[in-house]
Amino acid sequence: QVELAESGGGSVQAGASLRLSCTTSMYNFEQYSWAWFRQTPGKDREGVAGIGTDGRTKYDDSVKGRFTISKDNAKNILYLFMNALKPEDTGMYYCAAELNVGLTLSRDDFGIWGQGTQVTVHA
């Protein structure tokens, strides 16, 4: 059973930065498409950043220019660098992985999920 573990969340002031990490023991990390999703109470989980097997990236408009997704295939780690955080970035952040889905931010495309890490940004 594949497991994903997020870390790096926290409570920060607006304008601060955070780095989220997603680690896994899967042996074929580089073959998966990856993404970060954000969920707030009462709302659906929304994709904020994705990275394909070839390293191409995709971002939701709300985070373009502020967030960067990257991965280290040798260490099996997915990252989300979050800069210039805003209160509206607050939410539970989940990493997700799937095979053969290309570069996507669609929640329905992903079948492997972590447990999430909370990010709270205070005004």
Side-chain angles (χ1 to χ4, degrees):
Q1 182 177 353
V2 176
E3 292 186 353
L4 307 181
E6 301 94 337
S7 63
S11 180
V12 298
Q13 294 296 120
S17 298
L18 284 174
R19 185 188 74 174
L20 305 185
S21 299
C22 173
T23 58
T24 177
S25 60
M26 64 169 61
Y27 70 93
N28 53 347
F29 178 93
E30 70 282 359
Q31 296 179 19
Y32 283 79
S33 295
W34 294 87
W36 287 96
F37 288 78
R38 174 174 63 208
Q39 188 167 25
T40 54
K43 294 188 176 181
D44 288 337
R45 204 169 289 188
E46 60 177 359
V48 297
I51 187 166
T53 56
D54 59 359
R56 288 184 303 129
T57 57
K58 183 176 184 178
Y59 298 93
D60 183 79
D61 287 345
S62 65
V63 306
K64 279 182 181 176
R66 300 188 298 119
F67 290 12
T68 302
I69 186 172
S70 67
K71 58 177 180 166
D72 187 328
N73 289 335
K75 296 181 178 180
N76 283 15
I77 303 177
L78 176 75
Y79 297 105
L80 184 67
F81 296 88
M82 310 165 70
N83 296 317
L85 283 161
K86 303 176 181 180
E88 51 263 44
D89 294 322
T90 294
M92 185 70 80
Y93 282 74
Y94 299 88
C95 62
E98 191 53 79
L99 291 168
N100 303 318
V101 293
L103 181 59
T104 175
L105 293 181
S106 175
R107 180 192 60 187
D108 293 340
D109 288 336
F110 291 89
I112 303 171
W113 295 85
Q115 295 300 306
T117 185
Q118 177 68 35
V119 172
T120 303
V121 184
H122 302 283

